[in-house]
Amino acid sequence: MDTRPVTAVARTSCQRCYKRKKKCDRTLPQCDNCQMANVPCSFLDDDQQSGTYPIAFVQGLEARIQELEGQLALALQAKDDPPVVPEPPLDNGYSRAQDIESPTQQRLTDDACVGDFSPFSVRGQAQSPNEQAISMARELRTLSLEAAAERHLGSSSGLSFAKLTQTILKRLTPDRSDFVFGISQGDDILGQMNWESPSDRFHPHVINFPNMTDFGPTLFGNISLSNIIEPSGSLTDLALPAKSRADELASFYFAHSHTLYPIINQSDFLALLDRIYEQPSDLSAMDPMSWFRVWMVLAIGSSSRCSVSMVEESEALLYYNKALEFFEAAFDYGEMVALETIMLQVSFSFFNQLGPNTWFLVGTAARLAIGLGLHTASAYENLPFGIANMRKRIFFSVYMMDRVISIALGRPFALQDDDIEIEPFVDVDDGQIDDPAAQDRDRLEPSMLAVPRHILDLRKIASKISRQVYGNQAAIRANTPHREEIIRSLHRELIDWRRNMPFPLPDVHPRVPHLSSNWYDYNYYIHSAMLYRPSPLFPTLDQEMVRKLGNAASMSIRQAYTMHRQKRFAYNWLNLLSLFTSTISLIYASTAQPRELVGYLQRAQVIDDLELALQLFDKLNSKFPRATNIQCIIDRVLRRYKEMCNMVDVN
């Protein structure tokens, strides 16, 4: 473990460095610049300043604690337990599968999942203290923590399911010992690796990923990404891009982000953008909120485009940090404007890990929306149709953001369905938002706003799944027919949602994922898998539920791969999490077959589907280093499946 001292870091620069436009290292309790100049640092007098430690440092401390606990457990076990004689190995056909307890009968509790699994043993042998075994649960937990910088993971996050799948995989080992994917070690790992093993070639220490702040050169000459992350004087003179580039980014924003979260009036924004370029002499009189909105739309447009094209994001980060110069001043323009500024930052954070804390901002936006009463009918009384509909769009965008982030991380919702008194927004385009009669007109083609309106219906179904399958204590205690009816009812809602998608979808940009029918298939199967995987409602699955889980997981991977081939897949951390969960679901459903496992693997094309997942994570690891460990997991399971089916290439 690295024993170098780690200091707390402030969230903002000190006052002296900020005024002098110097790069501040933000070290608490006094920055280096002030210390070298022998002057008091503003941090010393700021009792409101809070500091943060790197996630890697905190994880290192946790890992060290786990290592010590593991060593203690091994020492006690060696003292008290007699040696264990392994059972005879099973043949490739698993003719003795009937002697193995059916994995679907294992209870979904953390104790049951981890009771026999220790990350400190490899086939019964003790590991050295500086080694950490790769596991599904560990990778899923790390992805979630890195995505949101938070510690709590709830039931819908799939963490317990990952632990259960890890235990199920014991069935693939001849002596039913722990199924080992690989080991994260120190710097000497390269000398200990078997270079003939694809599993070792995927080890995270093999591929040396550059630090995200060391990209170079950037799109903008001598401005480095380290200066972008910590704004300096170089951003003061940053000018808007050429009009053609601004139009391109704004166009992608309204094709992509606006059809997910319609929080800005498109007509008003495009008029503002034209005015800026046509009348540059009037820029000094433009209000801070308008500047913030312009720079954030450019930042989100660039970042969301990067998420599908997989290019580095220096341009997006430049624009984002430029927008932050107007953030505080924009807050003075009222609570609705303040809510918009927060939501624009949430939109930016969805596409990368370099933006703000998504979970924190969504909660802040939700509390502000509730404080404004946007969930109540009385807040819209006597308001013109256009203003009321715009505020509903903003409120339900907060709702959708809350559902996406809370379900992905297994956290409580910030907005409760029972508290919402209003109907959703009307799907009329921005050019007709002030026309109450527009919603009643007979349209042969759906509006652009029909897309986020339909996605809102999906988020509502996901909310029901989370509450009724993962959080309804009364339903969990109900009899089996009642619990089965809950699953069937939710599945019917998913089918109706998929059948009633907007048609034809707007054809405004070929790279937007949710303007393709494959995206709707992908989300249908993602939510179906969430419905059928082991949960508090159904801790144990019958064979029909296992079959449906396997089919949903398999189809979600195929749809993701289809979008990847179409260059429409968004390589963001949300899809990284959902794709990993689908892969775990496929492995669980395949390995949990009670008999004739080899025949099932061949009939269901499980090996082919895992090969597709491997290709997707190969693409993802260029942006997310953690995807390399996931590749190691998939590759190890694939090799074992192929060995069982006599498909291993001896070369």
Side-chain angles (χ1 to χ4, degrees):
M1 179 179 172
D2 192 351
T3 59
R4 291 176 296 179
V6 177
T7 57
V9 178
R11 296 186 181 275
T12 59
S13 302
C14 76
Q15 294 179 8
R16 180 174 179 270
C17 292
Y18 180 79
K19 291 178 181 179
R20 291 166 57 87
K21 299 189 184 301
K22 297 290 185 181
K23 181 173 176 60
C24 181
D25 66 355
R26 299 179 293 163
T27 301
L28 293 176
Q30 188 172 9
C31 78
D32 282 351
N33 289 340
C34 293
Q35 195 168 10
M36 294 291 292
N38 197 25
V39 296
C41 184
S42 62
F43 291 155
L44 296 172
D45 300 323
D46 189 357
D47 57 0
Q48 301 298 318
Q49 186 64 253
S50 61
T52 59
Y53 286 95
I55 293 177
F57 174 69
V58 177
Q59 291 176 338
L61 294 178
E62 294 176 341
R64 180 57 178 161
I65 293 173
Q66 291 177 351
E67 290 171 5
L68 294 174
E69 290 176 344
Q71 293 177 42
L72 178 60
L74 288 173
L76 294 175
Q77 184 178 5
K79 177 181 177 182
D80 300 334
D81 295 345
V84 179
V85 179
E87 297 181 13
L90 303 178
D91 59 21
N92 283 348
Y94 276 77
S95 59
R96 294 183 57 235
Q98 64 271 19
D99 297 332
I100 303 176
E101 180 184 10
S102 174
T104 59
Q105 301 303 312
Q106 302 186 37
R107 296 289 298 178
L108 181 64
T109 63
D110 286 348
D111 292 340
C113 294
V114 301
D116 296 327
F117 171 70
S118 170
F120 302 96
S121 62
V122 180
R123 301 285 177 89
Q125 299 177 0
Q127 298 176 16
S128 62
N130 67 330
E131 297 175 347
Q132 290 183 320
I134 298 172
S135 74
M136 292 180 175
R138 178 171 175 256
E139 294 307 313
L140 186 65
R141 180 176 182 273
T142 303
L143 285 177
S144 300
L145 293 176
E146 288 182 349
E150 297 287 341
R151 299 183 59 82
H152 170 68
L153 293 179
S155 58
S156 66
S157 67
L159 183 62
S160 295
F161 178 49
K163 294 177 180 178
L164 176 60
T165 305
Q166 183 84 42
T167 305
I168 293 293
L169 285 175
K170 289 183 178 182
R171 191 180 180 208
L172 301 184
T173 59
D175 54 1
R176 292 165 59 184
S177 59
D178 294 334
F179 192 91
V180 180
F181 299 114
I183 302 171
S184 299
Q185 304 181 14
D187 294 336
D188 59 344
I189 181 69
L190 300 180
Q192 305 175 22
M193 293 178 58
N194 175 14
W195 290 95
E196 299 301 319
S197 167
S199 175
D200 279 0
R201 291 200 298 270
F202 282 131
H203 198 280
H205 290 275
V206 177
I207 306 175
N208 183 22
F209 290 92
N211 187 287
M212 290 295 291
T213 61
D214 292 334
F215 275 128
T218 68
L219 299 175
F220 300 91
N222 295 325
I223 302 177
S224 66
L225 199 57
S226 59
N227 286 331
I228 298 168
I229 296 175
E230 173 62 29
S232 64
S234 59
L235 291 180
T236 303
D237 300 324
L238 180 65
L240 288 167
K243 180 64 162 61
S244 59
R245 180 59 176 169
D247 287 341
E248 181 183 5
L249 295 178
S251 175
F252 196 80
Y253 171 86
F254 285 106
H256 186 281
S257 302
H258 185 68
T259 49
L260 289 171
Y261 310 109
I263 57 182
I264 290 180
N265 185 296
Q266 181 177 3
S267 300
D268 292 347
F269 179 85
L270 294 180
L272 170 65
L273 195 64
D274 289 338
R275 188 169 67 252
I276 289 174
Y277 282 92
E278 292 171 0
Q279 303 173 4
S281 59
D282 297 337
L283 297 185
S284 59
M286 199 163 75
D287 61 89
M289 182 56 214
S290 296
W291 276 121
F292 180 83
R293 187 181 289 129
V294 167
W295 285 111
M296 283 303 301
V297 167
L298 296 179
I300 298 169
S302 176
S303 184
S304 57
R305 185 152 190 165
C306 290
S307 73
V308 295
S309 59
M310 291 295 285
V311 299
E312 56 96 11
E313 302 184 36
S314 59
E315 180 188 31
L317 289 166
L318 267 177
Y319 297 156
Y320 170 71
N321 280 290
K322 182 65 177 180
L324 292 186
E325 293 184 356
F326 304 96
F327 176 71
E328 292 185 10
F331 254 69
D332 295 335
Y333 283 77
E335 292 178 318
M336 285 301 302
V337 172
L339 180 57
E340 180 188 325
T341 62
I342 294 173
M343 294 173 66
L344 286 172
Q345 292 192 70
V346 176
S347 294
F348 179 79
S349 71
F350 274 151
F351 304 112
N352 56 64
Q353 293 179 297
L354 301 177
N357 184 311
T358 308
W359 167 255
F360 173 79
L361 286 179
V362 170
T364 302
R367 287 190 293 272
L368 186 54
I370 292 173
L372 290 169
L374 297 182
H375 61 300
T376 63
S378 60
Y380 301 88
E381 293 177 355
N382 303 320
L383 286 179
F385 171 78
I387 295 177
N389 201 46
M390 194 69 219
R391 293 192 176 188
K392 286 183 177 182
R393 280 166 46 173
I394 292 175
F395 173 77
F396 281 106
S397 292
V398 178
Y399 176 92
M400 289 189 283
M401 291 173 173
D402 178 42
R403 288 322 186 246
V404 169
I405 188 70
S406 297
I407 291 175
L409 301 177
R411 313 260 174 90
F413 296 140
L415 297 172
Q416 301 301 319
D417 292 275
D418 293 340
D419 295 334
I420 300 174
E421 304 174 0
I422 60 174
E423 293 296 320
F425 57 88
V426 179
D427 59 336
V428 296
D429 289 327
D430 289 342
Q432 301 174 317
I433 196 169
D434 294 321
D435 183 4
Q439 58 180 314
D440 299 325
R441 291 174 185 159
D442 185 17
R443 294 174 296 188
L444 295 179
E445 294 184 1
S447 68
M448 288 285 290
L449 270 295
V451 175
R453 179 64 184 81
H454 193 63
I455 294 174
L456 172 59
D457 291 338
L458 175 65
R459 304 308 177 205
K460 288 184 174 182
I461 297 173
S463 181
K464 290 182 181 180
I465 294 175
S466 179
R467 288 185 289 112
Q468 297 181 25
V469 177
Y470 292 88
N472 189 343
Q473 295 300 320
I476 291 172
R477 294 189 294 269
N479 56 39
T480 300
H482 178 71
R483 289 184 288 126
E484 289 176 343
E485 179 55 32
I486 291 175
I487 298 294
R488 281 195 298 269
S489 175
L490 291 170
H491 197 169
R492 281 194 294 267
E493 289 193 45
L494 282 173
I495 292 174
D496 290 341
W497 174 83
R498 177 59 186 87
R499 287 174 175 170
N500 296 324
M501 62 171 283
F503 181 84
L505 288 167
D507 186 17
V508 294
H509 201 286
R511 302 294 294 272
V512 177
H514 50 279
L515 298 185
S516 163
S517 61
N518 296 108
W519 185 88
Y520 295 85
D521 293 334
Y522 174 69
N523 276 274
Y524 166 77
Y525 289 117
I526 285 287
H527 287 78
S528 297
M530 183 180 176
L531 199 58
Y532 286 104
R533 74 189 187 207
S535 64
L537 185 66
F538 272 98
T540 59
L541 307 182
D542 58 29
Q543 283 305 300
E544 180 61 17
M545 296 183 74
V546 172
R547 184 192 67 80
K548 291 180 178 179
L549 173 63
N551 179 68
S554 173
M555 292 302 297
S556 65
I557 292 173
R558 295 178 194 178
Q559 296 301 325
Y561 186 77
T562 299
M563 288 190 288
H564 162 71
R565 293 289 301 271
Q566 295 172 344
K567 298 183 179 180
R568 287 188 107 127
F569 189 70
Y571 303 94
N572 55 46
W573 64 267
L574 286 171
N575 278 339
L576 175 63
L577 280 173
S578 62
L579 191 58
F580 185 29
T581 305
S582 291
T583 305
I584 294 174
S585 299
L586 178 58
I587 292 173
Y588 171 87
S590 304
T591 312
Q593 298 299 314
R595 58 182 60 87
E596 296 184 0
L597 177 57
V598 173
Y600 175 82
L601 292 175
Q602 294 171 338
R603 290 193 308 273
Q605 298 181 312
V606 174
I607 292 175
D608 292 340
D609 292 333
L610 289 179
E611 293 278 11
L612 297 181
L614 200 59
Q615 293 183 51
L616 289 170
F617 284 108
D618 182 56
K619 185 73 172 180
L620 281 160
N621 74 18
S622 62
K623 184 174 183 180
F624 301 98
R626 274 287 165 186
T628 309
N629 276 3
I630 299 175
Q631 282 184 295
C632 180
I633 290 173
I634 300 173
D635 179 77
R636 181 67 182 88
V637 174
L638 259 176
R639 286 180 59 81
R640 181 54 186 148
Y641 282 167
K642 289 180 178 180
E643 289 171 1
M644 295 167 59
C645 298
N646 297 317
M647 295 172 57
V648 176
D649 185 354
V650 296
N651 296 321

